[in-house]
Amino acid sequence: MKEEPRKSLYYYWFLAIGIILILNMVVIPTYFNTKIKQIPYGTFLEMVDDGKLGKVEITDTKIAATANDGNDKEVYVTGRVEDPELVKRLVKSKVTFSQVIPREASPLENFFTNWILPIGIFFLIGQLIMKYMGNRMGGNAMSFGKSNAKVYVEAQTGVDFTHVAGQDEAKEALMELVEFLHHPEKYTSIGAKLPKGALLVGPPGTGKTLLAKAVAGEAKVPFFSISGSEFIEMFVGMGAARVRDLFKQAQEKAPCIVFIDEIDAIGKKRSSGQFGSNDEREQTLNQLLSEMDGFDSSKGVIILAATNRPDELDKALLRPGRFDRRVPVELPDLHGREAILKVHAKDVHIDTDIDFNTLARATAGASGADLANIVNEAALRAVREGHSSVNQSDLEESIEVVIAGYQRKGACISSEEKKVIAYHEIGHALVAAMQKHSAPVHKITIVPRTSGALGYTMQVDEQEKVLMSKEDLFNKIVTITGGRSAEEVIFNTITSGASNDIEQATKIARAMVARFGMVEELDMMACESVQNVYLGGDASLTCSAETSARIDAIVLSIIKEAHGKAKEIISNHRTDMDRLAAYLLEKETITGDEFMNILQNLPPDTPREPAALPECH
Ligand code: ADP
Ligand code: ZN
């Protein structure tokens, strides 16, 4: 929007006053061109007696007169003094005189000047000020409770279930709602009450909004969407008014879908007595609850809401008759990721021989939004590189961009440091390769990235594991400590480059001890509870200080053991390390196949059998 420079209100006030002043001083006097001369009463009487006056007008308080020399433009004025002789004198000097009769205003006129006019003026000023304030606040501040500015209605979303890849369980659960919107009579005739709302729960970017749109698209009904945070507004009471307005609009358009994103913004548990509760939010929530109770679901208004903090929602929202359905929308698994990549690949020109499976395996933990972003980054890269369509290397590079940031081409790293980085990365890869439980290496690079990573080893899981055994986790820690171990064994120093590894290793070890019950000493006791599962999952300790100290000690011993094992592996493969590091330093980026070939003393480009993937049905 173009921002127009606005003059302040004062500017207009001064302009108006200026115009009035000019009118008074210049225009009106020249138009009427009358000169008024104040004279004392005595002088006036003398003039009367001398016969100098022509016409005299007497009002209650003043006397005005013109001279008898024919000049009407000069008027003499004097105050009226109680003088019984005046009339006699005037008659004697033969001037024409008259008493001005005070005009009696009509009651209607009185009413107008005393009431209508002032009210009108105040109203006008009020309007001006409000308009001015409204503009200043960047919106129409006075349009209380009209949510139409923020509610987005789409008559047709143009999205259907084919646009949502993976998420089969969620689609199935939502399919019933689509059926209901199509044939409500089928359900009502048997006496079934359909849920009024469903809550889509999952981490950010997993396609909750997309699913809601797809439900509306499949059912071919209008789609209302609003974000929870938009309910909370400048004025107390606005949120509740907005909710009322939203439901009114929705009922007029029924059947339809109402989608409330980030419902946790209003649906947080109502204050449990703590200081500083949020009245506005509670009012909004109460209004939402009563609206949900109030409307008749057989009309076909279905409310979908999305959140990534389900445990913070008020219990009242989740009881039957409100959001009684909970549809989990989890991060996609291997098959899901492959399907999502394929859906988004349809939108770009792409080579026909893309190996989506490898891409999906390299993106463990990525959400649907991340994957959409990867495809788009790849398309951008294809344009930059001058390809006519997106190819495999574009996609692989863009995965790294999304995970680790762009390449820092200009970064200046000394050859000594480069060597340390190369050995560090080869250390990770070698330790991983030497443990049969660890995933094979897909790619190793020592090209620095904008995220701060100086290099990394991309591991690709052969198969996505639902369960991790104690050995899997321990081996993972061994692999993570492999980088630092290589620095120690080869250069006999340690660097700051392992901080991220240290953090990860500690996290895994701590989870093993405190959450997964993997050490005998604590058996199956839970010592940590996880909050915000969908938002990174911060764990908080639930045990005593003594146990907590014990946990720290056990975590440390696990990491020490893993570190020792990694060092041992590297010491035993010293010559392999040198060979691999030299090759990596030369090429900067090497593939998993090249790595395995060199490890086995084969020429780097020997073709390798792709690892057999276990099928799962
Ligand atoms: P959320 O509401 O869960 O935060 P969105 O629905 O806004 O996530 O998803 C953001 C984008 O990610 C979508 O517009 C879509 O392009 C992509 N996306 C996410 N999940 C999927 C999926 N399962 N299939 C296809 N695209 C997806
Ligand atoms: Zn590392």
Side-chain angles (χ1 to χ4, degrees), residues 361-412:
R361 281 192 289 132
T363 46
S367 69
D370 292 333
L371 295 168
N373 189 17
I374 285 171
V375 174
N376 190 50
E377 277 292 336
L380 292 176
R381 186 182 128 99
V383 174
R384 268 200 304 274
E385 305 278 303
H387 304 157
S388 59
S389 61
V390 179
N391 63 27
Q392 185 86 17
S393 74
D394 290 330
L395 283 159
E396 289 191 0
E397 172 62 25
S398 75
I399 291 175
E400 285 171 47
V401 167
V402 170
I403 293 173
Y406 288 95
Q407 293 188 352
R408 264 169 59 200
K409 294 244 170 64
C412 179

Side-chain angles (χ1 to χ4, degrees), residues 424-425 428 480 483 497-498 501:
H424 179 108
E425 295 308 329
H428 283 304
I480 291 169
D501 296 340

Side-chain angles (χ1 to χ4, degrees), residues 326-337:
R326 188 190 262 238
V327 180
V329 187
E330 299 286 347
L331 285 174
D333 60 5
L334 183 60
H335 290 276
R337 290 199 300 274

Side-chain angles (χ1 to χ4, degrees), residues 183-375:
H183 310 287
E185 66 290 339
K186 222 164 76 183
Y187 292 86
T188 46
S189 69
I190 210 168
K193 278 204 191 71
L194 244 100
K196 286 184 177 172
L199 191 63
L200 304 169
V201 182
T206 45
K208 297 184 289 296
T209 313
L210 195 67
L211 271 166
K213 279 190 180 171
V215 172
E218 288 278 330
K220 300 198 172 47
V221 297
F223 180 73
F224 286 81
S225 77
I226 189 165
S227 170
S229 55
E230 281 165 12
F231 281 120
I232 311 299
E233 280 290 341
M234 195 162 25
F235 297 106
V236 175
M238 273 275 269
R242 265 177 201 277
V243 172
R244 224 175 298 129
D245 206 51
L246 173 67
F247 276 80
K248 206 169 128 244
Q249 284 189 35
Q251 264 162 315
E252 280 163 13
K253 287 245 162 65
C256 65
I257 299 276
V258 175
F259 178 63
I260 305 175
D261 206 355
E262 302 170 47
I263 194 165
D264 43 278
I266 38 171
K268 244 185 232 145
K269 285 193 184 87
R270 278 166 289 186
S271 70
S272 36
Q274 79 260 54
F275 180 71
S277 73
N278 189 335
D279 268 351
E280 165 66 345
R281 217 194 56 229
E282 282 183 19
Q283 270 188 30
T284 311
L285 177 58
N286 288 335
Q287 186 67 39
L288 180 67
L289 294 177
S290 69
E291 289 289 342
M292 285 194 79
D293 286 341
F295 80 85
D296 180 6
S297 68
S298 65
K299 280 220 187 89
V301 179
I302 287 185
I303 302 161
L304 297 176
T307 180
N308 33 41
R309 328 172 158 208
D311 34 294
E312 282 187 19
L313 289 182
D314 198 286
K315 286 280 171 291
L317 262 179
L318 303 173
R319 79 146 172 74
R322 288 169 186 156
F323 292 108
D324 44 4
R325 289 246 167 140
R326 188 190 262 238
V327 180
V329 187
E330 299 286 347
L331 285 174
D333 60 5
L334 183 60
H335 290 276
R337 290 199 300 274
E338 198 175 330
I340 293 171
L341 284 169
K342 281 181 181 161
V343 162
H344 287 280
K346 278 195 200 127
D347 300 337
V348 296
H349 286 291
I350 199 157
D351 283 1
T352 45
D353 59 344
I354 299 289
D355 181 2
F356 285 106
N357 189 272
T358 306
L359 297 173
R361 281 192 289 132
T363 46
S367 69
D370 292 333
L371 295 168
N373 189 17
I374 285 171
V375 174

